[in-house]
Amino acid sequence: MQLHDAYGRMQRQLNLILMTRTSLSLAILLSAAALQAPDAAACTNLIAGPKATTDGSVFMTYSADSHNLYGMLNHTPAAKHAPGAMRKVVEWDTSKPLGEIPQPAETYNVVGNINEFQVAIGESTWGGHEELVDTTGNSIIDYGSLIQIALERSKTAREAIKVMTDLVDKYGYASSGESFSIADKNEVWVMEMIGKGAEKGAVWIAVRIPDNAISGHATYQKGRCQGQGERDAQQGRHILRPQTRILQWQGCRFLFCRCLLHS
């Protein structure tokens, strides 16, 4: 009996040692992986249509992979603006002033990434061809400002898409390739956007997620509109060849991701 008890204690001690060594080894591996990938970015969006949830709600989650944003929750109150009032545009990531744009007569209440009409916008950066980042020096709308301004001016997801695309057409797009999740209380869209390099503006495509579907994206753009009707897919006036020359849009049969990612 004593021998059996002694053997049991030895076995438990051995198991504890093995568990400790395994945990330590795992910690070392995770630390090494983190050190080897200091520039990793994985902003992640998970979205669901109203027929894919038990209570009929539209879901959109947004995880911003940035320690600089930890605990940040900005609030922009609703406001009326006098004719000629201007809004400062400040780059989201660096706080660098980029320019000014005119204010509309009214802007809406925004807390974080959602406004008073339940329009919500998230993002995930995928970068794309470096030569498509703006080189004009005249573009003043970065991806973060695009989100904020759209929330200040939109009552629906579709209206947000129009606000965002009109802004970059007029004032230029000052960021690299982005995926935007754009939702309201009835539907959710994913919009992909990238600049035009030496030409002001942006190339973009927006696709509505089916009501009975869920989707997610993280640092890889996936927009496509093959086989979808005009109500469920929108696109800009131009697309780009892989060599980045402008080509007129020839119908909704182009897979966005085959052209604009890294070579």
Side-chain angles (χ1 to χ4, degrees), residues 89-91 94-99:
V89 180
V90 178
E91 189 173 28
T94 66
S95 300
K96 173 185 174 182
L98 296 177

Side-chain angles (χ1 to χ4, degrees), residues 76 102 151 206 253 256-258:
T76 304
L151 291 172
R253 296 187 180 276
F256 198 80
C257 56
R258 291 184 179 176

Side-chain angles (χ1 to χ4, degrees), residues 192-196 201-205 236 238-240 246 256 260:
E192 315 283 5
M193 182 177 288
I194 196 169
K196 295 182 179 180
V203 183
W204 62 272
I205 178 175
H238 301 96
I239 59 173
L240 298 173
I246 299 295
F256 198 80
L260 301 176

